[in-house]
Amino acid sequence: MQYPLPIARLIDSFMKLPGIGEKTATRLAFYAMDMPKEDVDEFAQALVDVKEKLRQCSVCGNITEQDPCAICSNPTRDRSTIMVVEEAKDVMAFENMGEYDGLYHVLHGVLSPMDGIGPEQINIKSLIVRLQKNDTAKEVILALNSTPEGESTAMYISRLIKPAGLKVTRLAAGLAVGSDIEYANLITLKRAVQGRTEL
C-alpha cells in the first residue's frame, strides 16, 4: 500500500536531509502530520527564511542577515588574527568557546580533487585578496578539520600566504585526526586554539 501523495512527498523531503533514512523520515512525517497547524507553519517559515534571509558576508563568507556580518563589523574584535575555517558552523563552535576574539574566514569546503573541488570552488581567492588589502593582519590560524582534505587545504593555503610574511599557525593537538570541529567539546577547542603551532 502506498502512502497518500502529500505524506509520501514529505517523507521524500525528509530523506534529503543528511543521516535521515526512510524509517526516520516516515516517523518525522507522521509526527509533523499530528503537529498543531501553527507549529507546522512556523517550521515551514523557518525553512523559507533560511533560504531567503541569510547570505554570505562579503568580507569573511560567514552566514549573516546583514553585510558585513556582526563579527566583521564589530570594532572590538582583534583584527590582527584571522581564523580560517571550513564551514560557517565552525565559526559558531569557536564563538561558543568564548576564548577567541579575532576575525574569521569561511572557506565553504576543502580541496578535494577526487570530488572535483579545486581552489576555485572554495573561498580561497577572497582570503588572498582580503589579506592583501588588510595591513593589520599578522597571523592566520588554519582551523580546518584533521582529515586528509583539511590537511592538504591547510598546506595549500600556507604555501600561498607565507611568502607575504604573515605568521601561519595550525590548531594544536586536542582535535583527533578524522574528527569534525563542530562536534568537539569546548575544552578541546580551547586547548587547540591556545596550543596552536606555526607551520
Side-chain angles (χ1 to χ4, degrees):
M1 177 180 166
Q2 291 185 329
Y3 291 117
L5 185 58
I7 198 130
R9 287 180 57 213
L10 185 56
I11 291 168
D12 288 342
S13 296
F14 278 125
M15 286 176 58
K16 292 176 183 173
L17 298 172
I20 304 290
E22 186 175 358
K23 286 183 179 181
T24 302
T26 302
R27 190 168 55 249
L28 290 171
F30 276 92
Y31 180 83
M33 195 171 62
D34 292 334
M35 288 170 63
K37 184 178 183 323
E38 305 82 42
D39 291 349
V40 172
D41 290 342
E42 189 178 323
F43 181 69
Q45 189 59 53
L47 288 172
V48 171
D49 287 350
V50 162
K51 293 304 287 181
E52 292 182 353
K53 294 185 178 179
L54 293 180
R55 57 185 169 272
Q56 290 183 12
C57 174
S58 60
V59 178
C60 71
N62 194 14
I63 54 171
T64 183
E65 290 183 83
Q66 64 187 39
D67 191 20
C69 71
I71 294 173
C72 288
S73 58
N74 183 344
T76 66
R77 300 294 293 217
D78 177 7
R79 301 195 173 278
S80 68
T81 60
I82 297 176
M83 182 180 289
V84 178
V85 296
E86 191 174 321
E87 301 291 347
K89 57 191 171 187
D90 299 331
V91 171
M92 297 306 347
F94 284 106
E95 285 299 288
N96 289 336
M97 177 185 68
E99 293 288 323
Y100 176 73
D101 67 345
L103 302 176
Y104 294 94
H105 192 85
V106 183
L107 295 178
H108 297 287
V110 286
L111 298 175
S112 180
M114 298 282 286
D115 298 318
I117 302 173
E120 301 78 27
Q121 282 73 45
I122 59 176
N123 201 17
I124 292 178
K125 184 177 180 182
S126 66
L127 172 64
I128 304 306
V129 170
R130 182 179 178 189
L131 291 171
Q132 290 169 343
K133 290 181 180 178
N134 182 359
D135 59 353
T136 59
K138 304 287 185 257
E139 178 184 7
V140 175
I141 305 167
L142 299 174
L144 305 176
N145 291 320
S146 297
T147 61
E149 294 82 6
E151 294 296 324
S152 63
T153 304
M155 293 309 298
Y156 179 82
I157 293 172
S158 176
R159 284 196 296 270
L160 285 178
I161 61 180
K162 270 192 112 171
L166 290 167
K167 181 179 181 182
V168 181
T169 57
R170 189 85 166 95
L171 293 184
L175 292 175
V177 174
S179 67
D180 288 339
I181 287 173
E182 69 174 302
Y183 299 118
N185 63 51
L186 297 181
I187 294 170
T188 300
L189 286 177
K190 181 178 179 179
R191 287 180 182 161
V193 171
Q194 290 175 341
R196 62 188 182 270
T197 56
E198 188 167 357
L199 294 176

